[in-house]
Structures are given as C-alpha cells and as structure tokens.
Amino acid sequence: MKDSTFGFLLTIPGLVFLTLVVAFPLSLLFSLSFLRYDFIHPITFHGLRNYVEVLNNRVFWLSLRNTIIYSGGTTTLTLLIGLLLAVSAARIKRFSALFRTLLILPWAVPLVVSGLVWRWMLDPGVGVYNYILTQVGFSREPINIFGEPTLAMIGCILSDSWTRIPFMFIVILAGIKSIPPDLYEAARVDGANRIATFRNITLPLVKKSMLTGTLITSMFSFRTIDNIWSMTRGGPAKATYVIGLNLIDYLVRYQNLGFGAAIGVIMLGLISIFATLIVYYILKE
Amino acid sequence: MGLASKLEGIVESEVTPYIVLSVFSAVMVSPIILIFFNSFKTLHEALSWPPTIIPSQPTLEAYVKVINSPVLLTLRNSLIIASGTTFLVLALGLPTAYGISKYSFKGSKFAMLFFLASRIIPPLSLLIPFYIMMTWLKLTNTFQCLIILDTYLAFPLMVWILKAFFDEFERDLIDAALVDGCSRLGAFLRVAIPLSAVGIAAVGIITFLWTWNEFVYAMIFTATEDIAPVTIGIFHFVGDEVIEWNSLSAVGIFTSLPAIIFFIFAQKYIIEGMTKGAIKL
C-alpha cells in the first residue's frame, strides 16, 4: 500500500463523520429554505418566498439590528479592556502568573451561567452591583435594568464581554510577547517615552493579533445566544432579541422550518463575511 | 504641571500597570467570588435587600438542596455526554489528523479546508436540519444525539490542533519504529500516540470542557432530566415566582469548577501555546 493511500484510509472515518454532520445538514438547510415546511400545509416547493418573507419581516430586521449592537458593543468593550490589560501585563515583572490566572478565570464559566450570574448581580431586588450603584449615589432607587430596553442591552453586553475579555487579553498579550524586546530598548535609548513606544512599536506590531481577536470575538458573539437566553430571553419588548433567538422561535414556537432555514442561510452568509475577512487578513500578512 | 505631563507621569510609572491589573482582576473575579459566597447563604438571606456579600450565617443548605434535586442527575448527564464526546472526538480526530499530517495524500489540503469551513458554519444555522435528522433517526432526547452534535462542534478545530501537534512530531521516531519491523498502523498506535500524550490530553480536556458548557443543542434536543446536561439543569432553580439564587449559585460553582481548576493549572501553557501560534501565523 502506498503511503498516501494509508493516509487517506486513516482519514476516512473522520471525513465520513464530517460529511454526515456538516455537508448533509448543510444541503438540507439550503433545500429547506426553498420549501414551505410549517406542519400545517403539505410540504411544497416555495421558491424564494421564504427569503422574501424574511426580508420583509420587521422582527427579523429588529433582531439583526440588535445582534449588530450586541456583538459590536461586546467586541468594542472587549478590545479596549483586553488591550489595556495586555499592555499592562506585558510590563510587569512580579505576580504576572497570578494576574494572568485571575484574568482568564471568567473564561471558565459557561456562557449560560455567566448570563445567570450577571442577571443576579444586576437584579434590582437582590443584586449586589445594583445595590452598589445606589450606595455610590448613582441612583436613589435600585435600577430596574431588565425593564429598561437600553439598560438590558448594556447588561447583556457586560455579561458577554466578561467571558470574552480573557481570550482577547491572551491573544493580544501573545502578540506583544512576540515583539523583539530590543525594539523597545532601542527606542528608549533614543528617548522615546511609553506613549510613543506604544503608538509606534506596540500598536503597529500587535495590529494583527488585535484584528484576529476582534474578528473572532465579533463572530462568536454574533452567533451565540446562551447568555442572552439566561438574562433576558430577548426582552424587554424584544430589546435584546437577537437573530439566533429569532431562528429558535421559528423552530420551537412558530414551527415554520422553511422560514427558519432561510434565516439560518442568511446567518451563515453574514458569518461567512467575517470568516472571509479573517482568512483574507491572515493570509495578507 | 499640565495635564499632558501628568498623564505621561501616570503612564510612565512602574506602579500603574499593577494598579490597573489589580482593579480589573478584582472586577473580573468578583462575579465568581460573589456566587461562591452566595452559595453558602440561606434562601431567606439570598432573597433579602440590601444584599449581603459574605453570608451572615454560612450554611450548606443550598448544596443539600442541589444534591436532593434532579440537578444532581443533570451533572451526571453532563459527565456522560462530555466523556462520550471526548472519546468520539479523539477516536475520529487522532487518525484523521495523523493521516493528514504524516501521510499527506491528494486532497489532504482540501480536507483541512473542509474542517476549517465546518468550524465557520454557525451551529445555530444547522439547528433546524439537525432537528429534522434527529427526528427521522428517532434520536431526540438521547445521549447519542447530544454526543454526536457536540462532537460536530469540537471535532473540526480539534483536528487542526492535533495536526499541529503531529506536524511537530519527529519523523525519525516513526521511521525508526518502521525499521524495527513495526507496521505503519503500529507506529501510529504504539509510538506516535504515546509520545504525543500531553498534547492529546490537552485536546481531550478542551473538548470535555467545551462540551460541558454547551447549551443551545441541549435546550432543543433534550426534554427530560435524565438526559439533560447541567447547563439545562441549572434552570431548575429559576421558578416563575422566585429564583432560588443560593442554590443556583451552588450549581454555578459546580458547573464552573472543572474549567477553573484546569485554567489555574494550565494558564502557563495556554499563553505559551498562543504565543507560539502568534509567531507562526
């Protein structure tokens, strides 16, 4: 047997599995999106009507808008804090293992638990953070965060960022660590201060890590619903209703699988844009 | 002293990064510490306003309640599902990654792209097709169903990671085994796998933790407490009238503990691995 044949034989089980759980459901997804499949009418070919209906659906656009705010908010906050922490962690000499360990711990908490934990901390009836806000004079009464659309969204962004900062922190820290230290020494000798070295050395050289971190973070927060589910389930008044929840509703609540599949295809299309950007930028460097 | 020079003084100071890191570490860890304390409160204290931070009379009430509730069963289910998934991911992933890495064939590059593309598809997009498939196969509300779907989630990335391990594995060691009369399969099973044990263990642990955290598929595909994992079980304490925050915190601690322990021990390797990856990229 040729070596290449042996290699191919080894990969067969994996490839067969992947075909069954990716290629097959994917083609099923596309097929479904062209069908009328709603458990009421007989299943018939529906052409592009599911897509037309999705694109004319007000709630779909609302959910897309919410998803962009949610994922954009999480990514921005995560990037800013991740960068600040990575730059700080790269400078210290003592306790660095301790700080790194503490800072990546939120990563260990399942997203669905993170949502519950933040819901608890922000709760107007029992929440410690809400209580602290009343104590520092931010508000006299406990704030009903989950009754107020904007605040509910901010709460969800906080909880999502909390679990995503560790990854961003590590990616950027790894980027900084791979910068040759002589660059900094040379710049210091030339009299550059820290702000100047940050702007002229760190920032341009970790741009790629930041980009990778940003794209991955935005892609993941775009497509996850775990913590929103446990915090608000899309409420109040659909203020945190994201595209993933919309898709689930078409499966569980409205049982219109054709329509849901069309949303699934649109979601896949949007994610592919992120993915193409990631691959493009990584290959470009 | 102007604002700019004051700012510069703050940035230049050797103490600043320590202060920044201390403040943020406290904020980042506080939710975990707070639920840890909360899990030792009585239900009455957990529901009172103003909230306390440290329980006034620490009690194991919440833990007793968790142990006597169906949540314990969901913890067992999580263990079964995560172990099964880890086994399946390794059983499929090791030969796949080894074959592509050491015996590249026509189309092996394409196979790797197939794995990468699978990773990019949002799991939610495949939810409806999976629902139809699992209904056809009559697999809804079974362990098999979740093990298959969770393997789908982890498998593509794990193949990439395993391939990276095998790429660094010394070719000479395999050749030496072959000269000694080992078959190619024997060299894989008796030389390559044992000598890559650390990397394989890491992949196994990551798969386990990942599966342990999974929520969406579990929510759609499980209906009863003898199958549902703990990410569903935790909602047992979210009632219509009242949320039993102390018991819920106890479950939160149980659920996060495996990964917390792992991160404390593996922190160094995670950052090293990422740094290596960053240089390679």
Side-chain angles (χ1 to χ4, degrees), chain A residues 159-177:
Chain A
S159 117
D160 198 37
S161 306
W162 180 63
T163 40
R164 297 198 190 280
I165 287 169
F167 175 74
M168 184 73 88
F169 162 68
I170 290 179
V171 169
I172 298 180
L173 182 62
I176 297 179
K177 291 260 162 195

Side-chain angles (χ1 to χ4, degrees), chain B residues 6 36 89 99 173 183 189 227:
Chain B
K6 231 182 218 167
F36 180 73
V89 165
L173 289 170
S183 67
L189 294 174
I227 303 292

Side-chain angles (χ1 to χ4, degrees), chain A residues 1 6 9-10, chain B residues 95 98 103 174 178 182-193:
Chain A
M1 198 193 323
F6 177 70
L9 284 178
L10 281 179
Chain B
Y98 186 77
Y103 298 99
I174 301 169
L178 292 176
C182 227
S183 67
R184 279 174 296 200
L185 195 62
F188 167 53
L189 294 174
R190 266 174 258 128
V191 179
I193 289 188

Side-chain angles (χ1 to χ4, degrees), chain B:
Chain B
M1 210 159 73
L3 189 69
S5 60
K6 231 182 218 167
L7 187 72
E8 198 189 318
I10 294 173
V11 174
E12 288 292 327
S13 163
E14 288 303 315
V15 191
T16 310
Y18 287 98
I19 295 174
V20 170
L21 290 171
S22 306
V23 170
F24 275 95
S25 297
V27 174
M28 293 290 277
V29 179
S30 68
I32 299 173
I33 306 224
L34 284 173
I35 62 162
F36 180 73
F37 285 148
N38 203 43
S39 68
F40 293 104
K41 288 180 191 169
T42 60
L43 182 59
H44 181 258
E45 189 180 354
L47 291 177
S48 55
W49 182 269
T52 51
I53 290 177
I54 295 170
S56 53
Q57 301 150 317
T59 143
L60 288 174
E61 185 190 299
Y63 287 91
V64 172
K65 194 144 192 187
V66 171
I67 288 168
N68 290 317
S69 74
V71 179
L72 194 66
L73 200 61
T74 63
L75 272 166
R76 181 207 67 164
N77 300 340
S78 278
L79 212 59
I80 295 174
I81 296 164
S83 315
T85 305
T86 308
F87 175 78
L88 195 57
V89 165
L90 289 179
L92 290 168
L94 284 171
T96 306
Y98 186 77
I100 292 177
S101 168
K102 289 295 178 229
Y103 298 99
S104 61
F105 50 91
K106 217 168 157 188
S108 54
K109 282 238 166 66
F110 176 77
M112 284 313 276
L113 275 179
F114 184 25
F115 283 100
L116 185 66
S118 311
R119 179 83 193 104
I120 286 162
I121 298 168
L124 271 169
S125 285
L126 296 186
L127 187 66
I128 291 178
F130 279 147
Y131 176 80
I132 290 179
M133 285 164 68
M134 291 301 171
T135 315
W136 280 342
L137 298 168
K138 297 200 167 49
L139 278 178
T140 48
N141 202 34
T142 60
F143 287 134
Q144 294 92 304
C145 169
L146 283 185
I147 290 175
I148 292 170
L149 296 181
D150 289 340
T151 303
Y152 145 71
L153 289 177
F155 181 55
L157 182 68
M158 295 311 153
V159 166
W160 269 78
I161 299 179
L162 286 171
K163 180 181 172 286
F165 279 126
F166 285 134
D167 281 346
E168 291 199 353
F169 189 79
E170 293 285 335
R171 179 95 235 179
D172 302 350
L173 289 170
I174 301 169
D175 290 338
L178 292 176
V179 169
D180 286 349
C182 227
S183 67
R184 279 174 296 200
L185 195 62
F188 167 53
L189 294 174
R190 266 174 258 128
V191 179
I193 289 188
L195 291 177
S196 321
V198 177
I200 295 170
V203 169
I205 292 171
I206 295 168
T207 307
F208 186 93
L209 294 176
W210 204 332
T211 308
W212 183 269
N213 293 355
E214 204 282 324
F215 168 70
V216 175
Y217 286 154
M219 174 179 79
I220 299 292
F221 291 101
T222 63
T224 52
E225 278 157 340
D226 56 332
I227 303 292
V230 70
T231 44
I232 303 296
I234 191 168
F235 286 95
H236 179 79
F237 295 109
V238 182
D240 290 333
E241 299 288 320
V242 71
I243 302 178
E244 296 179 38
W245 288 114
N246 58 339
S247 308
L248 195 144
S249 301
V251 186
I253 291 292
F254 271 131
T255 341
S256 314
L257 210 56
I260 289 180
I261 294 171
F262 171 68
F263 278 150
I264 288 174
F265 285 107
Q267 173 270 128
K268 204 178 118 203
Y269 303 101
I270 294 173
I271 298 191
E272 260 174 29
M274 287 270 192
T275 316
K276 260 193 212 158
I279 292 167
K280 243 197 251 161
L281 267 177

Side-chain angles (χ1 to χ4, degrees), chain A residues 188-204:
Chain A
R188 301 290 280 185
V189 171
D190 288 347
N193 64 15
R194 288 212 181 263
I195 298 176
T197 53
F198 173 73
R199 199 179 328 158
N200 300 323
I201 300 175
T202 315
L203 219 45

Side-chain angles (χ1 to χ4, degrees), chain A residues 23-40:
Chain A
F24 180 69
L26 197 61
S27 31
L28 195 57
L29 173 76
F30 280 103
S31 320
L32 281 168
S33 71
F34 297 113
L35 295 179
R36 176 151 81 178
Y37 196 135
D38 56 8
F39 298 103
I40 300 171

Side-chain angles (χ1 to χ4, degrees), chain A residues 77-269:
Chain A
L77 192 63
T78 305
L79 178 65
L80 292 177
I81 297 180
L83 181 64
L84 174 69
L85 294 176
V87 170
S88 308
R91 268 180 64 183
I92 59 170
K93 302 212 166 48
R94 303 178 60 196
F95 305 117
S96 64
L98 173 71
F99 281 125
R100 282 175 192 177
T101 310
L102 291 178
L103 287 171
I104 63 169
L105 279 189
W107 209 1
V109 179
L111 275 167
V112 66
V113 177
S114 155
L116 286 167
V117 170
W118 280 84
R119 176 169 162 191
W120 167 65
M121 294 193 307
L122 298 173
D123 189 278
V126 293
V128 175
Y129 276 19
N130 214 324
Y131 178 67
I132 292 173
L133 289 181
T134 64
Q135 290 304 295
V136 296
F138 194 79
S139 150
R140 194 167 302 168
E141 292 289 305
I143 309 160
N144 186 7
I145 290 176
F146 300 116
E148 168 65 42
T150 314
L151 293 178
M153 178 58 93
I154 292 174
C156 290
I157 290 174
L158 281 178
S159 117
D160 198 37
S161 306
W162 180 63
T163 40
R164 297 198 190 280
I165 287 169
F167 175 74
M168 184 73 88
F169 162 68
I170 290 179
V171 169
I172 298 180
L173 182 62
I176 297 179
K177 291 260 162 195
S178 60
I179 299 174
D182 348 345
L183 280 181
Y184 288 101
E185 277 157 35
R188 301 290 280 185
V189 171
D190 288 347
N193 64 15
R194 288 212 181 263
I195 298 176
T197 53
F198 173 73
R199 199 179 328 158
N200 300 323
I201 300 175
T202 315
L203 219 45
L205 288 176
V206 295
K207 215 177 76 193
K208 206 173 71 177
S209 309
M210 282 165 59
L211 205 66
T212 313
T214 304
L215 286 168
I216 291 178
T217 304
S218 49
M219 184 166 118
F220 276 86
S221 71
F222 191 91
R223 73 190 203 186
T224 3
I225 57 144
D226 306 30
N227 73 319
I228 293 187
W229 179 272
S230 52
M231 281 186 101
T232 61
R233 293 219 182 167
K238 293 222 176 343
T240 55
Y241 192 72
V242 289
I243 194 165
L245 291 176
N246 198 14
L247 190 150
I248 289 180
D249 269 349
Y250 277 97
L251 170 63
V252 177
R253 198 182 286 178
Y254 312 125
Q255 302 233 308
N256 188 341
L257 304 196
F259 196 99
I263 297 180
V265 171
I266 293 171
M267 231 179 135
L268 175 64

